[in-house]
């Protein structure tokens, strides 16, 4: 058993380091992955859902990692014979008699702009299965739609020594099968012959560089410059604005400090209003502190998760076009960081004199996972009704549930127990009065929602250019390769969120509104709502997505991503406000 595992590991390592070597004429399998409408990237189907030629003697599946299955990949063997360095001019794949329903399937797929995706020695390739044409008939002005299926596929493969380095696939517009309505009528079956050709050539690109082709910037080349330029532009603008506001805030604070220390002698408290007056209120713990601590705990966990993911991205773990790796990392890292959520929630809850710590742990473990699970159930049901590969197989669901039950939950509980038992006092720099002070009547723009809109605006403007590129790669077919930009933008997002929340907390305290705990969390997290707004904009104006399944996937999964942003940035906002409040109230002398 151990020997087998070791052999497997060794084989895996040598495969990654040296690649697979082939003798001339050695068989190399071409695996089909999925087909689907080009504009709906989540709506994917199995290759053989369409009546393509099947290999003789059964279908062979290729085993996949957890992340690849989650990404909707299902690798299955194709009958193409692409043996190493064996050119083929016009090889026959199969001749098929297509029944009426099979013709209809092809027609539907062509009109939905279906693409196929395959893997050859782990190199991904894409192509369209057919094309749609508008034909204006000679007699009348009426135009009709023609549906064609490509019947000939050509492979260009490059090799270096005895390794495969590159593969291109193309279809021949001269060899198509007409499956239009006016041609295929009645129940007459259609005879179709599928063919392919292979052309090998030598290259001097080293094997190690074979993935670079996919890493290349996918948008137009001049877009790269625009991308950098706009990112730098927005970062500089946002940082300047932040710096400007910070300077003003510092001055105001300094004046306050001077005024408050002088007032000790003058003592005219009748006119006095300001944040100093509520020093007996600001450290009163918030209502629903159980939920509050669960939010903060999850926020810290998600922050840690993002930082780990960025770390992995920066060392180049995630290959483009291999989202499976990213999903595996997300699932495993989420499970492993669960202890952070438990610990942070438990220890803050303890500091706030919470007693129901079992409920606290339960709440912490479902704060993010609960909504995610509900969303997953809905989307999986929709995917099953579409018979799409995006529906997870039962085994995968069991594995994910086991990871959750055996790693996430125990770590959360362990973290919660450790957090509850570490003896730390809440560091309040002022004593809290026994009875809460009344909050003065405040104008409408001091209420939570207007404040949240103000709070989210600046952080959102720092990231919105980047959002387009992320969406185009997550919900489109572009690749995102510049993780360094993303990381810079992420750091700026954190800084700006922290600052803007601190500033709003100051203005809130200045009018003697001391309910800053939840407010700062909501203000910090409000960027999550802005991102959701951007989702709506992207869906309706920037993409061609359509259909129930794609919409459900887009809106529901983005909803959970926005929830993650809300928790993470809310935590950043609240934590920085807490430091700020501690600082300003320790600076004044409060008897
Ligand atoms: C594949 O296509 C690219 C771009 O058109 C080309 O540069 C490359 O040489 C092609 N590779 C092979 C093996 O034909």
């Amino acid at each position: 058993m151990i020997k087998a595992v070791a052999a497997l590991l060794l084989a895996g390592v040598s495969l990654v380091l040296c690649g697979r070597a082939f003798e001339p004429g050695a068989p190399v399998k071409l695996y089909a992955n999925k087909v689907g409408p080009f504009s709906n990237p989540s709506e994917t189907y199995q290759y053989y859902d369409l009546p393509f030629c099947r290999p003789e003697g059964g279908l062979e599946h290729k085993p996949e990692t957890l992340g690849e299955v989650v990404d909707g990949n299902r690798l299955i063997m194709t009958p193409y014979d692409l043996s190493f360095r064996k050119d083929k001019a016009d090889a026959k794949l199969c001749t098929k008699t297509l029944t009426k329903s099979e013709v209809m399937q092809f027609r539907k797929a062509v009109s939905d702009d279906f693409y196929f995706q395959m893997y050859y020695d782990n190199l991904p390739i894409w192509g369209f299965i057919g094309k749609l044409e508008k034909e204006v008939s000679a007699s009348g002005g009426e135009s009709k739609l023609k549906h064609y299926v490509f019947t000939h596929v050509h492979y260009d493969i490059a090799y270096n020594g005895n390794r495969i380095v590159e593969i291109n696939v193309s279809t021949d517009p001269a060899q198509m099968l007409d499956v239009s309505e006016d041609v295929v009528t009645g129940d007459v079956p259609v005879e179709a012959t599928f063919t392919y050709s292979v052309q090998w050539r030598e290259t001097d690109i080293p094997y190690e560089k074979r993935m670079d082709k996919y890493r290349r910037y996918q948008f137009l080349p001049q877009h790269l410059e625009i991308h950098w330029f706009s990112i730098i532009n927005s970062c500089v603008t946002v940082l300047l604005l932040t710096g400007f506001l910070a300077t003003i805030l510092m001055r105001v604070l300094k004046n306050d400090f001077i005024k408050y220390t002088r007032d000790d002698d003058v003592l005219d408290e009748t006119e006095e209003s300001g944040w100093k007056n509520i020093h007996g209120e600001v450290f009163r713990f918030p209502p629903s502190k159980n939920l509050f601590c669960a939010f903060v705990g999850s926020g810290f966990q998600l922050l840690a998760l993002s930082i780990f993911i960025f770390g992995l991205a920066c060392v180049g773990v995630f290959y483009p076009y291999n989202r499976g790796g990213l999903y595996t990392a997300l699932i495993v890292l989420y499970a492993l960081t669960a202890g952070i959520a438990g610990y942070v929630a438990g220890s803050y809850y303890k500091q706030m004199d919470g007693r129901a710590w079992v409920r606290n742990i339960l709440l912490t473990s479902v704060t993010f996972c609960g909504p995610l699970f509900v969303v997953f159930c809905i989307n999986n049901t929709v995917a099953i009704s579409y018979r799409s590969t995006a529906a997870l197989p039962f085994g995968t669901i069991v594995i994910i549930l086991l990871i959750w039950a055996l790693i996430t939950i125990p770590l959360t509980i362990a973290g919660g127990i450790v957090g509850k038992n570490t003896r730390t006092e809440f560091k309040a720099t002022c004593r809290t009065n026994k009875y809460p002070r009344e909050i003065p009547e405040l104008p409408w723009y001091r209420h939570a929602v207007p404040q949240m809109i103000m709070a989210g605006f600046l952080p959102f403007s720092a990231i919105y250019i980047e959002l387009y590129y992320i969406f185009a790669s997550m919900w489109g077919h572009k690749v995102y390769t510049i993780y360094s930009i993303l990381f810079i933008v992420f750091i700026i997002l954190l800084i700006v969120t922290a600052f803007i929340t601190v500033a709003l907390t100051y203005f809130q305290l200045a009018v003697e509104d001391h309910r800053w705990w939840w407010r700062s969390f909501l203000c910090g997290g409000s960027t999550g709502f802005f991102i959701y707004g951007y989702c709506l904009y992207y869906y309706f104006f920037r993409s061609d997505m359509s259909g129930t399944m794609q919409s459900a996937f887009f809106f529901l999964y983005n909803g959970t991503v926005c929830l993650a942003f809300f928790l993470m940035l809310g935590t950043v906002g609240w934590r920085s406000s807490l430091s700020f409040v501690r600082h300003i109230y320790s600076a004044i002398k409060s008897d």
Side-chain angles (χ1 to χ4, degrees), residues 7 37 50 71 162 179 190 207-208 221 223-224 228 240 265 269 352 365 405 439 452 553 591:
L50 289 179
D71 193 23
N162 48 12
V179 288
V190 184
Y207 177 82
E208 293 71 35
H223 277 188
L224 179 60
W228 269 110
L240 275 182
D265 320 326
E269 280 196 18
M352 295 182 192
S365 50
I439 294 155
M452 281 168 72
F553 269 61
D591 36 283

Side-chain angles (χ1 to χ4, degrees), residues 309-323:
I309 290 289
F310 274 118
L312 288 179
C314 288
V315 297
V317 170
F318 304 129
Y319 281 110
Y321 294 121
N322 181 7
R323 239 182 281 158

Side-chain angles (χ1 to χ4, degrees), residues 18-19 28 73 103 113 146 158 171 174 180 199 233 247 282 290 341 367 374 382 429 513 527 580:
C18 332
V28 189
N73 292 1
V103 170
D113 209 13
K146 303 288 283 176
T171 41
S180 316
Q199 173 89 53
N233 191 17
T247 325
V282 284
N290 208 336
T367 303
V374 171
V382 174
T429 41
D513 181 355
T527 311
F580 172 76

